[in-house]
């Protein structure tokens, strides 16, 4: 059974059982309320029990990315950012996400000046030996006076971990490795890891780097026909020295 199917089965079971809040390996809250004169800066804090993980927006070869549903008390734009993730490999395959605590920075920009209340509905998943889909709600009141400076400091630290614009990738092409499709990337310098997103169902596995670190090949799975990637725009997130960078490239 894939992790995705296991998660669906676990969700059906979870919805059929009464809530047992004390036994949950996770807790969700909104933290931080800094106002810069135009927008508030808050964050979705997911706290996990030791050994538990949650997913990035691209969860790996299977899994569930977080889904944020926002309800502001009046019209406002709500933007979520994702800190750079890590890759984990176990008997279920590769997962991409975060071990233990993570904060997703959130920017809230109202259409008109004035305080507002923000409610969050979150659908996500946590994993240890098994994958457990989860649902949570959280809320925060945002005004002109800061009430949570320590939370705001944690949000800014998380924002610093959001990938910056990069230019280390100078070329990309779909090639054949042993008769199987792979993404070949030409690099200016050796990365610690590479994560690739596309509009297709393709999953790009962990990179295999050349001896000099100037070329990476990522095996492509979960896609029946590699020709579907022709002309696709992909987002490539890579880590160098622990810092994340993003690039968007069109495949030939």
């Amino acid at each position: 059974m894939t992790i995705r199917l296991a998660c669906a089965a676990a969700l059906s079971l979870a919805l059929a059982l009464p809530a047992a809040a004390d036994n949950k390996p996770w807790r969700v809250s909104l933290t931080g309320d800094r106002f810069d004169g135009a927008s508030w800066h808050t964050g979705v804090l997911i706290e996990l029990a030791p050994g538990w993980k949650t997913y990035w927006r691209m969860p790996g070869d299977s899994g569930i990315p977080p889904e944020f549903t926002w309800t502001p008390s009046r019209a406002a734009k709500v933007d979520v950012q994702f800190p750079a993730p890590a890759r984990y490999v176990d008997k279920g395959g590769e997962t991409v996400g975060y071990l233990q605590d993570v904060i997703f920075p959130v920017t809230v920009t109202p259409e008109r000046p004035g305080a507002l209340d923000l409610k969050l509905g979150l659908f996500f998943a946590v994993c240890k030996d098994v994958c457990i889909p989860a649902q949570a709600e959280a809320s925060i009141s945002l005004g002109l006076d800061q009430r949570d400076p320590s939370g705001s400091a944690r949000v800014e630290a998380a924002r610093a971990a959001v990938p910056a614009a990069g230019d280390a990738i100078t070329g990309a092409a779909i090639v054949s490795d042993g008769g199987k499709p792979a993404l070949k990337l030409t690099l200016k310098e050796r990365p610690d890891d590479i994560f690739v997103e596309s509009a297709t169902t393709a999953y790009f596995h962990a990179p295999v780097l050349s001896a000099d670190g100037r070329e990476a090949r990522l095996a492509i799975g979960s896609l029946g026909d590699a020709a579907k990637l022709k002309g696709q725009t992909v987002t490539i997130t890579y880590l160098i020295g622990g810092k994340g960078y993003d690039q968007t490239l069109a495949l030939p």
Side-chain angles (χ1 to χ4, degrees), residues 108-131:
V108 184
T109 306
E111 288 188 0
R112 298 187 306 277
L116 62 79
D117 295 326
L118 182 66
K119 293 182 179 180
L120 165 67
L122 177 64
F123 177 68
F124 65 117
V126 297
C127 291
K128 190 177 182 183
D129 300 320
V130 296
C131 174

Side-chain angles (χ1 to χ4, degrees), residues 226-250:
K228 293 179 180 178
L229 288 167
K230 185 176 182 180
Q232 284 280 333
T233 297
V234 294
T235 298
I236 303 174
T237 300
Y238 50 94
L239 306 178
I240 297 177
K243 173 64 179 173
Y245 300 89
D246 276 339
Q247 272 185 254
T248 300
L249 296 174

Side-chain angles (χ1 to χ4, degrees), residues 136-206:
E137 295 181 349
S139 62
I140 191 169
S141 295
L142 300 173
L144 301 183
D145 296 325
Q146 188 176 47
R147 303 173 187 174
D148 184 13
S150 62
S152 295
R154 294 186 68 185
V155 170
E156 291 312 302
R159 197 179 303 279
V162 172
D167 62 358
I169 300 170
T170 59
I174 303 299
V175 298
S176 178
D177 271 349
K180 296 182 179 180
L183 174 66
K184 183 179 77 171
L185 299 175
T186 306
L187 308 157
K188 291 182 180 179
E189 54 185 309
R190 177 186 292 273
D192 305 321
D193 206 342
I194 303 173
F195 310 98
V196 180
E197 302 166 85
S198 77
T200 73
T201 59
Y203 174 62
F204 299 82
H205 288 267

Side-chain angles (χ1 to χ4, degrees), residues 61-88:
D61 58 7
S62 58
I64 298 176
E67 297 179 9
F68 305 92
T69 301
W70 299 102
T71 307
S73 59
R74 57 191 186 81
K77 181 181 179 182
V78 182
D79 292 315
V80 182
Q81 293 180 296
F82 288 74
R87 188 187 309 272
Y88 305 94

Side-chain angles (χ1 to χ4, degrees), residues 14-60:
L15 294 178
L17 296 174
D22 292 342
N23 296 326
K24 292 185 297 189
W26 51 267
R27 181 170 59 186
V28 173
S29 60
L30 290 172
T31 187
D33 59 353
R34 183 175 69 85
F35 185 63
D36 65 11
S39 302
W40 286 279
H41 302 278
T42 185
V44 179
L45 168 61
I46 301 179
E47 300 172 275
L48 298 170
W52 286 82
K53 303 183 289 288
T54 193
Y55 292 106
W56 189 47
R57 62 177 183 249
M58 188 280 290

